[in-house]
Amino acid sequence: MATTQALEITVSEGGIFDTQVAGATVLDFETAANCGGYASCSGDFGVVTGSQSSQFAAPAGISEPNSYLSVPDDENSCEAIFGLGTTANYFGLLWSSIDSYNALEFFSGGIGGTQVASIDGGFLKSVDSDILVQGNQVSLDDNRYINFFFGSDVFDTVKLISSQNVFESGNHAWATLPEPGILALFGLGLAGLTVSRPKKAA
């Protein structure tokens, strides 16, 4: 089944490292028991601090020893799946050292349900041309807070994928927001793009 609903992707200005959406559930991975604060998790990931050569690098804007999510960890299985335990229509994260081989997929009804959206790091350059997509670990142009607004669509599961070392991210956030004027509610200084996407029922 196709949908004409549009995904709104916005990029916060460099130097903004947290969601600007009031009331969102936020995971900073400081309390990293089990799934880093998600309701469920599977796959390969690490909740880490600092940097380790050839393994992971702390995102710009996350002061050590603060924790963040690294996918894959040293086992290199390339993906991790996180369940919210609820539904939401907004997701945000500090996407660190953005690479084209990093990707996010969103699902409704779990991994066996409907894929709501799939976005890779390379696509973000079409949202904000300042993004380098070079995996730069320190430049604010490759360490940006990315917001996904799904309007009337909802998701309950997020998959993070990286075919190489590594996909680092922090300050994950989600919320259920009223659909009308969803972006105008916040007055954010954002670059953005509306993405029309097909969707098939499971």
Side-chain angles (χ1 to χ4, degrees):
M1 179 180 69
T3 179
T4 58
Q5 291 295 328
L7 167 63
E8 299 277 355
I9 302 174
T10 65
V11 179
S12 294
E13 294 176 354
I16 294 176
F17 305 117
D18 300 283
T19 184
Q20 304 297 291
V21 173
T25 298
V26 178
L27 297 186
D28 61 8
F29 300 103
E30 294 306 303
T31 54
N34 299 322
C35 297
Y38 280 99
S40 63
C41 56
S42 61
D44 196 13
F45 66 93
V47 175
V48 298
T49 59
S51 300
Q52 184 173 329
S53 179
S54 302
Q55 295 298 320
F56 47 81
I62 289 187
S63 301
E64 295 184 27
N66 288 358
S67 300
Y68 59 95
L69 189 69
S70 174
V71 178
D73 69 7
D74 57 358
E75 297 299 323
N76 291 322
S77 73
C78 299
E79 65 182 41
I81 299 164
F82 297 93
L84 277 58
T86 187
T87 58
N89 66 352
Y90 162 77
F91 186 81
L93 81 167
L94 174 58
W95 194 323
S96 176
S97 56
I98 297 168
D99 282 298
S100 59
Y101 53 78
N102 301 152
L104 281 174
E105 294 180 353
F106 298 89
F107 295 86
S108 176
I111 293 299
T114 301
Q115 185 181 88
V116 179
S118 178
I119 301 293
D120 64 37
F123 183 79
L124 297 179
K125 195 166 185 66
S126 66
V127 182
D128 185 340
S129 60
D130 289 335
I131 292 176
L132 302 175
V133 197
Q134 295 175 355
N136 191 304
Q137 298 169 0
V138 296
S139 171
L140 293 182
D141 288 330
D142 253 359
N143 293 263
R144 304 292 287 274
Y145 203 88
I146 313 296
N147 303 278
F148 301 87
F149 297 92
F150 290 91
S152 61
D153 290 334
V154 297
F155 65 95
D156 55 26
T157 303
V158 181
K159 180 192 284 188
L160 286 81
I161 303 166
S162 186
S163 60
Q164 302 177 40
N165 270 340
V166 70
F167 186 174
E168 301 103 336
S169 63
N171 299 334
H172 292 198
W174 64 84
T176 300
L177 302 175
E179 186 180 358
I182 200 167
L183 297 180
L185 292 174
F186 309 107
L188 306 178
L190 302 171
L193 182 70
T194 301
V195 183
S196 296
R197 68 207 187 281
K199 182 175 70 174
K200 295 183 178 179

